[in-house]
Amino acid sequence: MNRLVISGTGQVYKNLALEEALLRELKEGQCGLYLWVNDPSVILGNNQCAYLECSPGLCRSRKIAVARRRSGGGAVYHDRGNLNFTFFYWPGQAGEEEFRELARSAIEALAGRPVKSYGNDFLIDGKKISGMAGYEEDGRRLLHGTVLVNADMEAMSQALTVSAKKLRSNGVDSVRKRVANLTEFAPGISVSQVREKMARSFSETWGPVETVRFGEEEMPGDFLAYAAADWIYGESPDCEMVMEAASGAGIYQLVFRVEGERISEARLYSDAEARENHSGFERELAGAVYEETQLKERLERYVSALAAAGSESGNPQGGRRV
């Protein structure tokens, strides 16, 4: 019998672990739908560099979890105003488009207006309300996505904003798109209503289902693996980024590479007029754990010290790297 699974926790690591477990447990000829809601979280695509998609320090200070999923695509923000859905199936038994259409038509019925499919996104009046991604493991396939129902758009904007400038990365940068909540088109709609509609559409399309609900303490799967820093940050493609600081001496640009959680190398450049060697500072940074706020403060202290030293020596312009 096909399965409908509903999560009873908002803990993103447990929800991702359950999703993986459900895919691996899928029996031949069976398909399933998993419905879940996360507490505030940023979920990275498998190929993305965490530091290019969010500010981990800011997220920690605001109690926004940072997680990495196994599928590709861009970084997304989840909170209790998002409904997440995952379809499990076997190729040959069903096609991705069938499940995509099931989700699209369910959302359209709730919105009361046309929902268009554009690549991996669903749009209403040109605004994105849902995005999807998927992957295959041992012959089983997964297609998951999220529906923006009444998510906190301000928190989303802040969580997915990076203050350090981007230079280049071997990963995939998220494309910022115009997004909207479903409530913009169907005022008063709730996450529970969308969940009920998705579940009903699934059972009407695929026949009787076994409904399984997991509570906070009964979630299967290795959630500690999803919560591990090595998975979230260590799996990031190497990122090369730049951070700026200014003083009376000039504009300083710190170009640094992040591998996993640590700075592997750093170079400091500036437009200051005097000559100065920054190699000691650069060596100190190599191997340090990258935390954006701490690095910014460290750079600003160093630049301020340069300006003060330059002023004391009668050269208010500070130094330039040689």
Side-chain angles (χ1 to χ4, degrees):
M1 181 178 288
N2 297 323
R3 299 179 80 194
L4 169 64
V5 179
I6 299 174
S7 168
T9 181
Q11 222 271 26
V12 61
Y13 307 121
K14 289 188 175 182
N15 281 329
L16 287 170
L18 174 56
E19 181 182 61
E20 181 182 357
L22 292 174
L23 177 64
R24 293 179 175 178
E25 292 171 1
L26 190 69
K27 297 176 182 178
E28 191 166 353
Q30 186 183 53
C31 65
L33 171 62
Y34 169 44
L35 298 171
W36 42 300
V37 175
N38 284 327
D39 293 327
S41 315
V42 169
I43 297 87
L44 306 166
N46 184 262
N47 303 311
Q48 291 189 299
C49 175
Y51 306 107
L52 295 182
E53 300 303 326
C54 67
S55 170
L58 177 67
C59 288
R60 278 193 292 271
S61 70
R62 300 189 179 182
K63 300 188 183 329
I64 298 172
V66 178
R68 179 181 298 278
R69 62 181 187 269
R70 296 192 179 276
S71 64
V76 292
Y77 171 79
H78 290 177
D79 63 19
R80 287 286 180 169
N82 292 22
L83 175 70
N84 303 298
F85 60 88
T86 308
F87 294 106
F88 307 97
Y89 63 98
W90 294 83
Q93 166 206 17
E96 183 175 296
E97 286 306 314
E98 294 178 63
F99 294 105
R100 196 184 299 270
E101 174 56 22
L102 190 158
R104 189 205 64 79
S105 60
I107 297 170
E108 185 173 81
L110 292 168
R113 64 180 68 199
V115 174
K116 295 185 178 181
S117 181
Y118 184 80
N120 288 325
D121 300 335
F122 291 151
L123 293 84
I124 299 179
D125 294 346
K127 294 183 178 181
K128 178 180 173 179
I129 58 165
S130 177
M132 288 162 286
Y135 69 94
E136 183 173 329
E137 182 177 302
D138 296 331
R140 303 168 176 86
R141 286 197 62 81
L142 170 159
L143 175 69
H144 56 189
T146 183
V147 184
L148 291 166
V149 182
N150 59 347
D152 186 336
M153 292 297 187
E154 180 61 26
M156 177 190 297
S157 176
Q158 294 173 355
L160 295 177
T161 297
V162 184
S163 60
K165 288 184 178 178
K166 299 181 182 179
L167 281 184
R168 56 185 177 271
S169 169
N170 294 327
V172 179
D173 292 347
S174 290
V175 178
R176 304 292 181 248
K177 301 176 181 178
R178 293 180 67 207
V179 295
N181 279 316
L182 194 57
T183 51
E184 183 176 323
F185 310 100
I189 199 78
S190 67
V191 168
S192 61
Q193 287 175 292
V194 181
R195 179 171 49 220
E196 290 167 8
K197 177 61 178 175
M198 293 281 282
R200 189 164 58 251
S201 295
F202 179 70
S203 61
E204 289 173 352
T205 302
W206 292 96
V209 298
E210 173 194 14
T211 301
V212 181
R213 297 176 185 271
F214 286 99
E216 176 77 35
E217 303 304 323
E218 6 178 62
M219 305 283 283
D222 186 3
F223 77 91
L224 292 177
Y226 276 95
D230 283 350
W231 166 247
I232 300 169
Y233 301 104
E235 290 295 321
S236 292
D238 295 351
C239 306
E240 187 169 292
M241 297 182 284
V242 62
M243 182 177 285
E244 290 187 351
S247 74
I251 302 295
Y252 288 79
Q253 288 189 323
L254 178 67
V255 179
F256 57 101
R257 179 172 291 276
V258 177
E259 296 181 15
E261 286 189 280
R262 297 184 179 275
I263 298 170
S264 60
E265 56 182 309
R267 293 291 181 270
L268 186 61
Y269 303 89
S270 84
D271 60 0
E273 294 183 4
R275 296 169 61 85
E276 187 166 285
N277 191 335
H278 304 303
S279 59
F281 179 65
E282 294 165 350
R283 284 195 300 270
E284 288 176 8
L285 294 181
V289 173
Y290 172 60
E291 203 291 314
E292 183 184 349
T293 301
Q294 292 178 8
L295 181 59
K296 181 71 172 175
E297 292 174 350
R298 194 169 179 177
L299 174 61
E300 289 176 345
R301 285 197 302 270
Y302 179 75
V303 169
S304 295
L306 288 177
S311 179
E312 290 173 2
S313 65
N315 176 19
Q317 295 303 312
R320 172 177 287 170
R321 180 181 184 275
V322 292

